[in-house]
Amino acid sequence: MSSPLEELGELQGKLTQSLQALQAASEVTFGCSEKDAVYSEDKLTLYRYRPLAASAKLPPIMIVYALVNRPYMMDLQPDRSLIRRLLELGLDIYLIDWGYPDGADRYLDLNDYINGYIDRCLSEVLREHQLPSATLLGVCQGGTFSLCYTALHPERVRNLITMVTPVDFQTPDNLLSRWVQSIDVDALVAAHGVVPGDVLNAAYVSLMPFRLLQQKYVDLLDTTGSQAQADNFMRMEKWIFDSPDQAGAAFREFSNWFYKENRLLKGTLSIGGQPVDLRRITQPVLNIYGKQDHLVPPAASTAMQSLVGNSDYLALGLDVGHIGMYVSGRVQRELPQSIAGWLQRR
Amino acid sequence: MGPEAITGDWAAAMQKAQAELLRQWTELGNAWTKAGAAAGAAAGAAPSAASGGPAGGADDIARHFLRQCEQYLGVSRSLWELLGRASSSTDNEQRARVFTDGLGGLQQQFANLWAATPFGAASVAATSPFNPGAAAAAVPGMANFSMPGFGMPGFGAPGVGAPAFGLPGFGMPGIGMAGFGAPGQAASAFNMPALGPTRESQESMQRLAQLGMRCAQAQLQVSGQWNDIIGKALRELGERIAPRLKSGGAPASMKEVYDLWVDSAESVYAQAARGAAFVQAQAELTNSLSQLRSGQRELLEEWAKQFDLPTRAELNSIHQQLRELKAALRR
């Protein structure tokens, strides 16, 4: 056993180093690739990223991100940017930034997001390229939206790529879903109108409270000696807690229809009065999931295979968790090539 | 290592460490405040996502960071002292027994730590993760006690002419709050029949008070769950460390003990959080807080309407109309 006084002394030293590094990290920035706003409506902005390589002559990709976090995770910093890697492979990338909904957006529902916003953004992409269809890349909740959109408008989607996307919302290992079953979501939305991002933050950290509320910060003492590590930590910290408020109606529908009633899996979901039949998805589907994902467990995602009406379905499981899917060095090296290769073969 | 090696020196070392933390934090906070003021003046606007600053600012991060460090010191100290006492025995069986028996004595301290931690209180141990922050202002018995509905801004404020709980000018009943800490008395007081011209308002206040009590009861249930989790986590920690003590070994550092504690706690929590009792307790707290929040707003709106002030209901009505107009335009 080491002397506690020695360890305290070490702790003091680490603390000083860490605080200095954190202080400097307050200037940290994120979003490393250049982009242009090509369409905006209400709070959302559709961006087109500037090319970094000669065109691979593949259909453009429109990224549909989740509503519950900010999409800059896809382009966090030069060595942690799926978007940047795809650009370097000559792909043409668009991204929907949903912005920060406020009280005026409380009545936006899933029909507004899926048949409204996504549809109009895709129209903009297709108009620009004079194409009848493009590739959708949906991430997490955005993947679920993309599945719904593709089932509702199959003629406008050439390929569908989903990342960490839940389809079965009631797998036994889904703790968040277990909790939501007993929550009166209608009362929650009635109380808040627009559900604060802090509600979601609290729910997510409550999944592993000792690690995420305490140990993570204690471990900083061992990891933030260098400025680069402190910068990385602060970027992640920013992203994790930079959670937009949620339009109440859409939140209520998503919680009730997907988590509590599992309508997508059961084939009973309708959006805007139209049934969402996943068997209408006959275009190629690449489903990327994290084998260690505690937010979207693998089984929640791979349930997709038996539901889509397509034999050209590939499930790609990576040995990472939910966040590792965006920032893991191995994923950064391998996933962009996998996506580009899969697209080129179709 | 015997207990004499850690007891006396620990107190001084802890004091020194805390003082140093405070000094560093103050320096950091000052620097950030200056930087924030300069940036704000330059931008002419509040920091935004585009500014690149962390959520809530670097001072929030640093505050959390320091709190965790302080808790780390506190938790590790207790465990370390216990380990010291256990290790002082020459008999390996006794070493393990002293340690595992001593863990039981730490339960309340750990439970309090989790209930009192700024993060924990706001989001886990003391409130519902689905309604963070609400309980701190809503649940009787908490450190920042503030009664729902009775501490609303403006009520009882000078110039408004309304006493804190009487509010005759607004038709509010004079509900006696003294009994709120005693559920039996309070329950009967809140169930009194409402009479007279202000009976509707009386009933609103009674409903709100009953919701407050429901929240308090839910809070007790959640706290009980957390107490169980902490107790089981400590037993789990004992099971992980005792075999090493029994074989003559011991954890090499405070950090190792701390990490073992976190592993034990997460392991126990992962099971408990899926259990029906925890899920039900948490849901009841969330659901009662939601209803309480809505009740508070209704009361506020009643008050606002008397001054012809805009209300959420009125604004919602306008949002609905705008939505319908936009839909009509798209068609």
Side-chain angles (χ1 to χ4, degrees), chain A residues 7 12 15-16 23 28 41 112 178 184 190 206 210-211 214 219, chain B residues 20-21 24 31 52 68 131 254-255 266 269 274 287 297 323 330:
Chain A
E7 196 169 351
Q12 285 293 98
L15 203 54
T16 305
Q23 188 177 355
V28 73
E41 178 184 351
D112 293 316
R178 174 103 175 87
D184 185 344
S206 295
F210 297 89
R211 289 199 202 292
Q214 220 183 45
D219 285 348
Chain B
E20 182 64 13
L21 282 169
Q24 290 168 351
Q68 304 315 315
N131 239 325
M254 288 193 296
K255 181 66 164 62
E266 284 293 1
Y269 178 80
R274 286 177 164 76
N287 297 340
R297 188 179 58 229
R323 180 176 162 76
R330 286 200 189 284

PDB file of all heavy atoms in Angstrom, chain A residues 7 12 15-16 23 28 41 112 178 184 190 206 210-211 214 219, chain B residues 20-21 24 31 52 68 131 254-255 266 269 274 287 297 323 330:
ATOM      1  N   GLU A   7       0.222   9.827  -1.877  1.00  0.00           N
ATOM      2  CA  GLU A   7      -0.811   9.838  -2.923  1.00  0.00           C
ATOM      3  C   GLU A   7      -1.527  11.184  -2.978  1.00  0.00           C
ATOM      4  O   GLU A   7      -1.867  11.687  -4.046  1.00  0.00           O
ATOM      5  CB  GLU A   7      -1.811   8.710  -2.687  1.00  0.00           C
ATOM      6  CG  GLU A   7      -2.659   8.439  -3.923  1.00  0.00           C
ATOM      7  CD  GLU A   7      -3.482   7.168  -3.816  1.00  0.00           C
ATOM      8  OE1 GLU A   7      -3.271   6.401  -2.863  1.00  0.00           O
ATOM      9  OE2 GLU A   7      -4.318   6.956  -4.698  1.00  0.00           O
ATOM     10  N   GLN A  12      -2.396  16.351  -5.656  1.00  0.00           N
ATOM     11  CA  GLN A  12      -2.286  17.803  -5.751  1.00  0.00           C
ATOM     12  C   GLN A  12      -1.585  18.215  -7.039  1.00  0.00           C
ATOM     13  O   GLN A  12      -2.010  19.139  -7.723  1.00  0.00           O
ATOM     14  CB  GLN A  12      -1.501  18.348  -4.544  1.00  0.00           C
ATOM     15  CG  GLN A  12      -2.290  18.364  -3.272  1.00  0.00           C
ATOM     16  CD  GLN A  12      -3.428  19.376  -3.356  1.00  0.00           C
ATOM     17  OE1 GLN A  12      -4.557  19.006  -3.631  1.00  0.00           O
ATOM     18  NE2 GLN A  12      -3.138  20.627  -3.134  1.00  0.00           N
ATOM     19  N   LEU A  15      -3.811  17.609  -9.946  1.00  0.00           N
ATOM     20  CA  LEU A  15      -4.911  18.560  -9.934  1.00  0.00           C
ATOM     21  C   LEU A  15      -4.484  19.894 -10.547  1.00  0.00           C
ATOM     22  O   LEU A  15      -5.191  20.489 -11.364  1.00  0.00           O
ATOM     23  CB  LEU A  15      -5.350  18.759  -8.487  1.00  0.00           C
ATOM     24  CG  LEU A  15      -6.747  19.254  -8.221  1.00  0.00           C
ATOM     25  CD1 LEU A  15      -7.763  18.380  -8.912  1.00  0.00           C
ATOM     26  CD2 LEU A  15      -7.015  19.277  -6.732  1.00  0.00           C
ATOM     27  N   THR A  16      -3.315  20.347 -10.146  1.00  0.00           N
ATOM     28  CA  THR A  16      -2.813  21.610 -10.682  1.00  0.00           C
ATOM     29  C   THR A  16      -2.666  21.528 -12.187  1.00  0.00           C
ATOM     30  O   THR A  16      -3.127  22.405 -12.926  1.00  0.00           O
ATOM     31  CB  THR A  16      -1.462  21.949 -10.028  1.00  0.00           C
ATOM     32  OG1 THR A  16      -1.635  21.944  -8.613  1.00  0.00           O
ATOM     33  CG2 THR A  16      -0.963  23.297 -10.475  1.00  0.00           C
ATOM     34  N   GLN A  23      -8.423  24.864 -18.001  1.00  0.00           N
ATOM     35  CA  GLN A  23      -8.622  26.302 -18.187  1.00  0.00           C
ATOM     36  C   GLN A  23      -8.295  26.706 -19.615  1.00  0.00           C
ATOM     37  O   GLN A  23      -9.050  27.429 -20.263  1.00  0.00           O
ATOM     38  CB  GLN A  23      -7.734  27.068 -17.214  1.00  0.00           C
ATOM     39  CG  GLN A  23      -8.010  28.553 -17.199  1.00  0.00           C
ATOM     40  CD  GLN A  23      -7.159  29.266 -16.159  1.00  0.00           C
ATOM     41  OE1 GLN A  23      -6.445  28.631 -15.394  1.00  0.00           O
ATOM     42  NE2 GLN A  23      -7.240  30.559 -16.134  1.00  0.00           N
ATOM     43  N   VAL A  28     -11.558  25.699 -26.520  1.00  0.00           N
ATOM     44  CA  VAL A  28     -11.620  24.632 -27.510  1.00  0.00           C
ATOM     45  C   VAL A  28     -12.774  24.860 -28.493  1.00  0.00           C
ATOM     46  O   VAL A  28     -13.808  25.427 -28.151  1.00  0.00           O
ATOM     47  CB  VAL A  28     -11.796  23.273 -26.794  1.00  0.00           C
ATOM     48  CG1 VAL A  28     -13.194  23.110 -26.247  1.00  0.00           C
ATOM     49  CG2 VAL A  28     -11.449  22.142 -27.718  1.00  0.00           C
ATOM     50  N   GLU A  41     -35.017  26.518 -42.540  1.00  0.00           N
ATOM     51  CA  GLU A  41     -36.462  26.618 -42.302  1.00  0.00           C
ATOM     52  C   GLU A  41     -36.679  26.531 -40.796  1.00  0.00           C
ATOM     53  O   GLU A  41     -36.162  25.604 -40.159  1.00  0.00           O
ATOM     54  CB  GLU A  41     -37.181  25.471 -43.004  1.00  0.00           C
ATOM     55  CG  GLU A  41     -38.670  25.472 -42.775  1.00  0.00           C
ATOM     56  CD  GLU A  41     -39.362  24.260 -43.406  1.00  0.00           C
ATOM     57  OE1 GLU A  41     -38.705  23.524 -44.156  1.00  0.00           O
ATOM     58  OE2 GLU A  41     -40.543  24.063 -43.115  1.00  0.00           O
ATOM     59  N   ASP A 112     -44.247  16.473 -38.814  1.00  0.00           N
ATOM     60  CA  ASP A 112     -43.523  17.691 -39.219  1.00  0.00           C
ATOM     61  C   ASP A 112     -42.053  17.371 -39.506  1.00  0.00           C
ATOM     62  O   ASP A 112     -41.480  17.869 -40.476  1.00  0.00           O
ATOM     63  CB  ASP A 112     -43.597  18.747 -38.116  1.00  0.00           C
ATOM     64  CG  ASP A 112     -45.010  19.270 -37.931  1.00  0.00           C
ATOM     65  OD1 ASP A 112     -45.671  19.545 -38.939  1.00  0.00           O
ATOM     66  OD2 ASP A 112     -45.449  19.382 -36.777  1.00  0.00           O
ATOM     67  N   ARG A 178     -36.836   0.418 -20.170  1.00  0.00           N
ATOM     68  CA  ARG A 178     -37.468  -0.145 -18.964  1.00  0.00           C
ATOM     69  C   ARG A 178     -38.037   0.979 -18.101  1.00  0.00           C
ATOM     70  O   ARG A 178     -39.137   0.859 -17.559  1.00  0.00           O
ATOM     71  CB  ARG A 178     -36.424  -0.942 -18.197  1.00  0.00           C
ATOM     72  CG  ARG A 178     -36.858  -1.484 -16.863  1.00  0.00           C
ATOM     73  CD  ARG A 178     -37.171  -2.972 -16.931  1.00  0.00           C
ATOM     74  NE  ARG A 178     -37.481  -3.534 -15.629  1.00  0.00           N
ATOM     75  CZ  ARG A 178     -38.708  -3.542 -15.089  1.00  0.00           C
ATOM     76  NH1 ARG A 178     -39.726  -3.023 -15.737  1.00  0.00           N
ATOM     77  NH2 ARG A 178     -38.923  -4.098 -13.904  1.00  0.00           N
ATOM     78  N   ASP A 184     -45.234   8.723 -17.133  1.00  0.00           N
ATOM     79  CA  ASP A 184     -46.389   9.354 -17.774  1.00  0.00           C
ATOM     80  C   ASP A 184     -45.854  10.469 -18.676  1.00  0.00           C
ATOM     81  O   ASP A 184     -45.675  11.611 -18.248  1.00  0.00           O
ATOM     82  CB  ASP A 184     -47.322   9.916 -16.697  1.00  0.00           C
ATOM     83  CG  ASP A 184     -48.606  10.483 -17.293  1.00  0.00           C
ATOM     84  OD1 ASP A 184     -48.637  10.716 -18.515  1.00  0.00           O
ATOM     85  OD2 ASP A 184     -49.556  10.707 -16.523  1.00  0.00           O
ATOM     86  N   ALA A 190     -46.832  17.832 -20.793  1.00  0.00           N
ATOM     87  CA  ALA A 190     -47.759  18.887 -20.367  1.00  0.00           C
ATOM     88  C   ALA A 190     -47.096  19.830 -19.368  1.00  0.00           C
ATOM     89  O   ALA A 190     -47.347  21.030 -19.365  1.00  0.00           O
ATOM     90  CB  ALA A 190     -49.007  18.258 -19.745  1.00  0.00           C
ATOM     91  N   SER A 206     -28.029   8.917 -15.589  1.00  0.00           N
ATOM     92  CA  SER A 206     -28.576   8.035 -14.568  1.00  0.00           C
ATOM     93  C   SER A 206     -28.440   6.560 -14.941  1.00  0.00           C
ATOM     94  O   SER A 206     -28.634   5.696 -14.099  1.00  0.00           O
ATOM     95  CB  SER A 206     -30.053   8.345 -14.329  1.00  0.00           C
ATOM     96  OG  SER A 206     -30.200   9.629 -13.797  1.00  0.00           O
ATOM     97  N   PHE A 210     -22.588   6.350 -11.153  1.00  0.00           N
ATOM     98  CA  PHE A 210     -21.307   6.422 -10.434  1.00  0.00           C
ATOM     99  C   PHE A 210     -20.152   6.702 -11.400  1.00  0.00           C
ATOM    100  O   PHE A 210     -19.219   7.412 -11.077  1.00  0.00           O
ATOM    101  CB  PHE A 210     -21.064   5.120  -9.658  1.00  0.00           C
ATOM    102  CG  PHE A 210     -22.084   4.867  -8.589  1.00  0.00           C
ATOM    103  CD1 PHE A 210     -23.250   4.166  -8.869  1.00  0.00           C
ATOM    104  CD2 PHE A 210     -21.904   5.363  -7.304  1.00  0.00           C
ATOM    105  CE1 PHE A 210     -24.206   3.941  -7.902  1.00  0.00           C
ATOM    106  CE2 PHE A 210     -22.861   5.146  -6.318  1.00  0.00           C
ATOM    107  CZ  PHE A 210     -24.012   4.433  -6.623  1.00  0.00           C
ATOM    108  N   ARG A 211     -20.247   6.118 -12.572  1.00  0.00           N
ATOM    109  CA  ARG A 211     -19.182   6.367 -13.550  1.00  0.00           C
ATOM    110  C   ARG A 211     -19.321   7.737 -14.198  1.00  0.00           C
ATOM    111  O   ARG A 211     -18.347   8.468 -14.348  1.00  0.00           O
ATOM    112  CB  ARG A 211     -19.234   5.315 -14.665  1.00  0.00           C
ATOM    113  CG  ARG A 211     -18.805   3.955 -14.223  1.00  0.00           C
ATOM    114  CD  ARG A 211     -18.411   3.063 -15.391  1.00  0.00           C
ATOM    115  NE  ARG A 211     -18.491   1.669 -15.016  1.00  0.00           N
ATOM    116  CZ  ARG A 211     -17.693   1.086 -14.134  1.00  0.00           C
ATOM    117  NH1 ARG A 211     -16.754   1.778 -13.539  1.00  0.00           N
ATOM    118  NH2 ARG A 211     -17.842  -0.193 -13.834  1.00  0.00           N
ATOM    119  N   GLN A 214     -19.260  10.798 -11.485  1.00  0.00           N
ATOM    120  CA  GLN A 214     -18.189  10.911 -10.518  1.00  0.00           C
ATOM    121  C   GLN A 214     -16.858  10.420 -11.070  1.00  0.00           C
ATOM    122  O   GLN A 214     -15.920  11.189 -11.242  1.00  0.00           O
ATOM    123  CB  GLN A 214     -18.569  10.106  -9.269  1.00  0.00           C
ATOM    124  CG  GLN A 214     -18.190  10.809  -7.992  1.00  0.00           C
ATOM    125  CD  GLN A 214     -18.513   9.971  -6.783  1.00  0.00           C
ATOM    126  OE1 GLN A 214     -18.238   8.785  -6.745  1.00  0.00           O
ATOM    127  NE2 GLN A 214     -19.070  10.600  -5.769  1.00  0.00           N
ATOM    128  N   ASP A 219     -11.174  10.486 -12.868  1.00  0.00           N
ATOM    129  CA  ASP A 219     -10.184   9.964 -13.811  1.00  0.00           C
ATOM    130  C   ASP A 219      -9.492  11.062 -14.616  1.00  0.00           C
ATOM    131  O   ASP A 219      -8.435  10.836 -15.209  1.00  0.00           O
ATOM    132  CB  ASP A 219     -10.833   8.956 -14.774  1.00  0.00           C
ATOM    133  CG  ASP A 219     -11.090   7.617 -14.089  1.00  0.00           C
ATOM    134  OD1 ASP A 219     -10.557   7.420 -12.975  1.00  0.00           O
ATOM    135  OD2 ASP A 219     -11.822   6.787 -14.659  1.00  0.00           O
TER     136      ASP A 219
ATOM    137  N   GLU B  20      -5.981  24.195  -0.938  1.00  0.00           N
ATOM    138  CA  GLU B  20      -5.325  24.330  -2.236  1.00  0.00           C
ATOM    139  C   GLU B  20      -6.347  24.262  -3.373  1.00  0.00           C
ATOM    140  O   GLU B  20      -6.295  25.021  -4.336  1.00  0.00           O
ATOM    141  CB  GLU B  20      -4.267  23.221  -2.395  1.00  0.00           C
ATOM    142  CG  GLU B  20      -3.477  23.263  -3.682  1.00  0.00           C
ATOM    143  CD  GLU B  20      -2.618  24.522  -3.823  1.00  0.00           C
ATOM    144  OE1 GLU B  20      -2.426  25.258  -2.835  1.00  0.00           O
ATOM    145  OE2 GLU B  20      -2.174  24.778  -4.950  1.00  0.00           O
ATOM    146  N   LEU B  21      -7.304  23.360  -3.212  1.00  0.00           N
ATOM    147  CA  LEU B  21      -8.367  23.253  -4.220  1.00  0.00           C
ATOM    148  C   LEU B  21      -9.125  24.570  -4.337  1.00  0.00           C
ATOM    149  O   LEU B  21      -9.411  25.046  -5.429  1.00  0.00           O
ATOM    150  CB  LEU B  21      -9.357  22.150  -3.824  1.00  0.00           C
ATOM    151  CG  LEU B  21      -8.931  20.715  -4.072  1.00  0.00           C
ATOM    152  CD1 LEU B  21      -9.900  19.767  -3.368  1.00  0.00           C
ATOM    153  CD2 LEU B  21      -8.911  20.417  -5.556  1.00  0.00           C
ATOM    154  N   GLN B  24      -7.017  27.162  -6.135  1.00  0.00           N
ATOM    155  CA  GLN B  24      -6.939  26.930  -7.583  1.00  0.00           C
ATOM    156  C   GLN B  24      -8.271  27.242  -8.256  1.00  0.00           C
ATOM    157  O   GLN B  24      -8.329  27.804  -9.343  1.00  0.00           O
ATOM    158  CB  GLN B  24      -6.527  25.480  -7.846  1.00  0.00           C
ATOM    159  CG  GLN B  24      -5.087  25.213  -7.466  1.00  0.00           C
ATOM    160  CD  GLN B  24      -4.777  23.738  -7.455  1.00  0.00           C
ATOM    161  OE1 GLN B  24      -5.666  22.914  -7.568  1.00  0.00           O
ATOM    162  NE2 GLN B  24      -3.514  23.401  -7.312  1.00  0.00           N
ATOM    163  N   ALA B  31     -10.202  33.809 -13.689  1.00  0.00           N
ATOM    164  CA  ALA B  31      -9.700  33.885 -15.062  1.00  0.00           C
ATOM    165  C   ALA B  31     -10.838  33.703 -16.051  1.00  0.00           C
ATOM    166  O   ALA B  31     -10.954  34.405 -17.057  1.00  0.00           O
ATOM    167  CB  ALA B  31      -8.622  32.825 -15.281  1.00  0.00           C
ATOM    168  N   GLY B  52     -17.839  27.863 -29.162  1.00  0.00           N
ATOM    169  CA  GLY B  52     -16.858  26.836 -28.849  1.00  0.00           C
ATOM    170  C   GLY B  52     -16.677  26.607 -27.376  1.00  0.00           C
ATOM    171  O   GLY B  52     -15.944  25.727 -26.972  1.00  0.00           O
ATOM    172  N   GLN B  68     -16.014  16.549  -7.693  1.00  0.00           N
ATOM    173  CA  GLN B  68     -15.707  15.121  -7.757  1.00  0.00           C
ATOM    174  C   GLN B  68     -14.392  14.824  -7.050  1.00  0.00           C
ATOM    175  O   GLN B  68     -14.259  13.809  -6.376  1.00  0.00           O
ATOM    176  CB  GLN B  68     -15.642  14.641  -9.204  1.00  0.00           C
ATOM    177  CG  GLN B  68     -16.885  14.910 -10.018  1.00  0.00           C
ATOM    178  CD  GLN B  68     -18.144  14.560  -9.283  1.00  0.00           C
ATOM    179  OE1 GLN B  68     -18.229  13.494  -8.655  1.00  0.00           O
ATOM    180  NE2 GLN B  68     -19.125  15.446  -9.313  1.00  0.00           N
ATOM    181  N   ASN B 131     -37.152  14.542 -14.371  1.00  0.00           N
ATOM    182  CA  ASN B 131     -37.632  15.849 -13.942  1.00  0.00           C
ATOM    183  C   ASN B 131     -36.569  16.528 -13.098  1.00  0.00           C
ATOM    184  O   ASN B 131     -36.829  16.903 -11.959  1.00  0.00           O
ATOM    185  CB  ASN B 131     -38.925  15.695 -13.133  1.00  0.00           C
ATOM    186  CG  ASN B 131     -40.059  16.445 -13.783  1.00  0.00           C
ATOM    187  OD1 ASN B 131     -39.838  17.508 -14.351  1.00  0.00           O
ATOM    188  ND2 ASN B 131     -41.255  15.905 -13.703  1.00  0.00           N
ATOM    189  N   MET B 254      -5.254   4.548  -2.855  1.00  0.00           N
ATOM    190  CA  MET B 254      -6.603   5.077  -2.660  1.00  0.00           C
ATOM    191  C   MET B 254      -7.396   4.990  -3.955  1.00  0.00           C
ATOM    192  O   MET B 254      -8.585   4.689  -3.954  1.00  0.00           O
ATOM    193  CB  MET B 254      -6.537   6.542  -2.234  1.00  0.00           C
ATOM    194  CG  MET B 254      -6.043   6.766  -0.822  1.00  0.00           C
ATOM    195  SD  MET B 254      -6.352   8.467  -0.303  1.00  0.00           S
ATOM    196  CE  MET B 254      -5.311   9.379  -1.439  1.00  0.00           C
ATOM    197  N   LYS B 255      -6.721   5.283  -5.052  1.00  0.00           N
ATOM    198  CA  LYS B 255      -7.418   5.272  -6.347  1.00  0.00           C
ATOM    199  C   LYS B 255      -7.937   3.876  -6.663  1.00  0.00           C
ATOM    200  O   LYS B 255      -9.043   3.726  -7.211  1.00  0.00           O
ATOM    201  CB  LYS B 255      -6.456   5.752  -7.442  1.00  0.00           C
ATOM    202  CG  LYS B 255      -7.068   5.808  -8.829  1.00  0.00           C
ATOM    203  CD  LYS B 255      -8.161   6.869  -8.906  1.00  0.00           C
ATOM    204  CE  LYS B 255      -8.521   7.234 -10.346  1.00  0.00           C
ATOM    205  NZ  LYS B 255      -9.048   6.133 -11.117  1.00  0.00           N
ATOM    206  N   GLU B 266     -21.673   0.370  -9.434  1.00  0.00           N
ATOM    207  CA  GLU B 266     -22.325   0.263 -10.746  1.00  0.00           C
ATOM    208  C   GLU B 266     -22.912  -1.130 -10.956  1.00  0.00           C
ATOM    209  O   GLU B 266     -23.979  -1.285 -11.560  1.00  0.00           O
ATOM    210  CB  GLU B 266     -21.340   0.590 -11.877  1.00  0.00           C
ATOM    211  CG  GLU B 266     -21.054   2.068 -12.044  1.00  0.00           C
ATOM    212  CD  GLU B 266     -22.258   2.886 -12.526  1.00  0.00           C
ATOM    213  OE1 GLU B 266     -23.343   2.332 -12.716  1.00  0.00           O
ATOM    214  OE2 GLU B 266     -22.105   4.115 -12.677  1.00  0.00           O
ATOM    215  N   TYR B 269     -26.035  -1.262  -8.907  1.00  0.00           N
ATOM    216  CA  TYR B 269     -27.031  -0.336  -9.464  1.00  0.00           C
ATOM    217  C   TYR B 269     -27.647  -0.889 -10.752  1.00  0.00           C
ATOM    218  O   TYR B 269     -28.855  -0.768 -10.990  1.00  0.00           O
ATOM    219  CB  TYR B 269     -26.377   1.023  -9.731  1.00  0.00           C
ATOM    220  CG  TYR B 269     -27.308   2.040 -10.348  1.00  0.00           C
ATOM    221  CD1 TYR B 269     -28.221   2.737  -9.563  1.00  0.00           C
ATOM    222  CD2 TYR B 269     -27.281   2.313 -11.709  1.00  0.00           C
ATOM    223  CE1 TYR B 269     -29.080   3.668 -10.121  1.00  0.00           C
ATOM    224  CE2 TYR B 269     -28.133   3.235 -12.280  1.00  0.00           C
ATOM    225  CZ  TYR B 269     -29.026   3.915 -11.488  1.00  0.00           C
ATOM    226  OH  TYR B 269     -29.879   4.834 -12.049  1.00  0.00           O
ATOM    227  N   ARG B 274     -33.063  -1.965 -12.746  1.00  0.00           N
ATOM    228  CA  ARG B 274     -33.999  -2.715 -13.588  1.00  0.00           C
ATOM    229  C   ARG B 274     -35.141  -3.318 -12.771  1.00  0.00           C
ATOM    230  O   ARG B 274     -36.105  -3.840 -13.329  1.00  0.00           O
ATOM    231  CB  ARG B 274     -33.268  -3.840 -14.330  1.00  0.00           C
ATOM    232  CG  ARG B 274     -32.417  -3.355 -15.455  1.00  0.00           C
ATOM    233  CD  ARG B 274     -31.648  -4.479 -16.121  1.00  0.00           C
ATOM    234  NE  ARG B 274     -31.133  -4.057 -17.408  1.00  0.00           N
ATOM    235  CZ  ARG B 274     -30.081  -3.259 -17.589  1.00  0.00           C
ATOM    236  NH1 ARG B 274     -29.429  -2.805 -16.541  1.00  0.00           N
ATOM    237  NH2 ARG B 274     -29.690  -2.903 -18.793  1.00  0.00           N
ATOM    238  N   ASN B 287     -43.651  11.257 -12.198  1.00  0.00           N
ATOM    239  CA  ASN B 287     -45.029  11.571 -12.562  1.00  0.00           C
ATOM    240  C   ASN B 287     -45.653  12.579 -11.592  1.00  0.00           C
ATOM    241  O   ASN B 287     -46.380  13.490 -12.012  1.00  0.00           O
ATOM    242  CB  ASN B 287     -45.856  10.283 -12.603  1.00  0.00           C
ATOM    243  CG  ASN B 287     -45.347   9.321 -13.671  1.00  0.00           C
ATOM    244  OD1 ASN B 287     -44.651   9.737 -14.595  1.00  0.00           O
ATOM    245  ND2 ASN B 287     -45.685   8.056 -13.544  1.00  0.00           N
ATOM    246  N   ARG B 297     -47.988  25.868 -12.408  1.00  0.00           N
ATOM    247  CA  ARG B 297     -48.157  26.811 -13.513  1.00  0.00           C
ATOM    248  C   ARG B 297     -49.598  27.312 -13.579  1.00  0.00           C
ATOM    249  O   ARG B 297     -49.853  28.494 -13.822  1.00  0.00           O
ATOM    250  CB  ARG B 297     -47.759  26.154 -14.838  1.00  0.00           C
ATOM    251  CG  ARG B 297     -47.745  27.165 -15.985  1.00  0.00           C
ATOM    252  CD  ARG B 297     -47.336  26.526 -17.284  1.00  0.00           C
ATOM    253  NE  ARG B 297     -48.205  25.449 -17.635  1.00  0.00           N
ATOM    254  CZ  ARG B 297     -47.786  24.240 -18.008  1.00  0.00           C
ATOM    255  NH1 ARG B 297     -46.508  23.972 -18.077  1.00  0.00           N
ATOM    256  NH2 ARG B 297     -48.639  23.303 -18.316  1.00  0.00           N
ATOM    257  N   ARG B 323     -49.524  27.556 -36.256  1.00  0.00           N
ATOM    258  CA  ARG B 323     -49.280  26.248 -36.863  1.00  0.00           C
ATOM    259  C   ARG B 323     -50.341  25.932 -37.908  1.00  0.00           C
ATOM    260  O   ARG B 323     -50.049  25.463 -39.008  1.00  0.00           O
ATOM    261  CB  ARG B 323     -49.278  25.210 -35.742  1.00  0.00           C
ATOM    262  CG  ARG B 323     -49.035  23.800 -36.174  1.00  0.00           C
ATOM    263  CD  ARG B 323     -48.975  22.910 -34.930  1.00  0.00           C
ATOM    264  NE  ARG B 323     -49.170  21.519 -35.286  1.00  0.00           N
ATOM    265  CZ  ARG B 323     -48.247  20.772 -35.841  1.00  0.00           C
ATOM    266  NH1 ARG B 323     -47.064  21.276 -36.101  1.00  0.00           N
ATOM    267  NH2 ARG B 323     -48.486  19.519 -36.164  1.00  0.00           N
ATOM    268  N   ARG B 330     -49.166  25.918 -46.737  1.00  0.00           N
ATOM    269  CA  ARG B 330     -48.475  24.850 -47.481  1.00  0.00           C
ATOM    270  C   ARG B 330     -49.436  24.125 -48.407  1.00  0.00           C
ATOM    271  O   ARG B 330     -49.042  23.626 -49.458  1.00  0.00           O
ATOM    272  CB  ARG B 330     -47.852  23.850 -46.513  1.00  0.00           C
ATOM    273  CG  ARG B 330     -46.624  24.384 -45.819  1.00  0.00           C
ATOM    274  CD  ARG B 330     -45.772  23.256 -45.268  1.00  0.00           C
ATOM    275  NE  ARG B 330     -44.721  23.786 -44.444  1.00  0.00           N
ATOM    276  CZ  ARG B 330     -43.627  24.376 -44.908  1.00  0.00           C
ATOM    277  NH1 ARG B 330     -43.445  24.487 -46.219  1.00  0.00           N
ATOM    278  NH2 ARG B 330     -42.718  24.851 -44.099  1.00  0.00           N
TER     279      ARG B 330
END
